[in-house]
Amino acid sequence: MTKLPRLTRAEVIENGRSTVGSVDNRQAIGSWLSGPRAAAEEMGVDFGYRGERLGLPKDGPGSVAPLGRRFGAIFIDWGLCALIAYQLIARGNMHAANNWALLVFFVLAVLTVGTVGFTPGKRLLGLRVVAEEGGRLGIVRVTVRTVLLCLAIPALIWDRDGRGLHDRLARAVQVRI
């Protein structure tokens, strides 16, 4: 067992405050705000780029869709579904429209992703949903993905490739067109 050196009072007090056992607060706060990935990268861990484990390119068509575009696409789709529910189904009743909008969103997502691979919002922002192994998703996988997306919580849990839990369970990935 090694013995720690005994510090003098002058060494303990620096600029009027004790430095024994203190940590640089900027470093501690920075690592906390940045998260475990940034801390691991600082220590030299290489995670690669998003989609590398899936065999997707780093940039351009076929690469993993950025989160901003994905959020934008879902907001466009939700706005469209809310408008359809408000005008066509609920006939101007806002309380009923909120309930119907989720059903319209479910039907829209299953039909459009199951047939062409994207919703109107995804198409406007240049995104497509494909199977991990390439190609379109089958109707069962699209339905599972959409049910989980409508529950919202699975869509907010991401892996290091930026895929939500709904995409992971359906073995799907959103890519740029």
Side-chain angles (χ1 to χ4, degrees):
M1 198 160 128
T2 60
K3 196 171 188 181
L4 295 175
R6 187 165 176 90
L7 300 174
T8 65
R9 182 171 169 83
E11 292 171 326
V12 172
I13 299 177
E14 178 184 318
N15 294 330
R17 59 179 213 195
S18 174
T19 59
V20 176
S22 67
V23 176
D24 184 5
N25 288 336
R26 292 171 297 180
Q27 182 183 9
I29 290 172
S31 66
W32 176 75
L33 290 174
S34 303
R37 180 181 178 124
E41 286 174 343
E42 266 185 32
M43 291 188 289
V45 176
D46 181 23
F47 288 107
Y49 61 88
R50 290 182 175 190
E52 183 176 21
R53 295 181 312 154
L54 301 170
L56 300 174
K58 184 175 184 177
D59 298 323
S63 64
V64 173
L67 294 175
R69 280 193 196 180
R70 290 168 39 193
F71 280 126
I74 201 162
F75 285 125
I76 291 169
D77 292 335
W78 183 257
L80 178 65
C81 292
L83 183 64
I84 290 170
Y86 182 75
Q87 292 293 327
L88 299 179
I89 300 172
R91 307 254 187 225
N93 182 351
M94 188 58 136
H95 295 294
N98 289 331
N99 295 330
W100 284 106
L102 188 61
L103 179 64
V104 172
F105 179 80
F106 177 81
V107 171
L108 174 85
V110 168
L111 291 178
T112 58
V113 173
T115 56
V116 293
F118 48 77
T119 61
K122 288 186 190 328
R123 181 65 183 124
L124 284 172
L125 296 179
L127 306 177
R128 173 174 292 223
V129 179
V130 297
E132 283 179 349
E133 58 276 359
R136 286 195 333 222
L137 292 176
I139 192 69
V140 173
R141 287 167 64 180
V142 169
T143 305
V144 167
R145 181 185 181 278
T146 306
V147 166
L148 293 171
L149 182 60
C150 287
L151 293 175
I153 299 299
L156 298 175
I157 301 171
W158 302 325
D159 66 2
R160 74 180 197 192
D161 290 318
R163 292 187 310 159
L165 185 59
H166 65 298
D167 281 333
R168 285 196 58 139
L169 292 176
R171 295 187 328 272
V173 61
Q174 294 184 57
V175 296
R176 296 178 186 178
I177 296 176

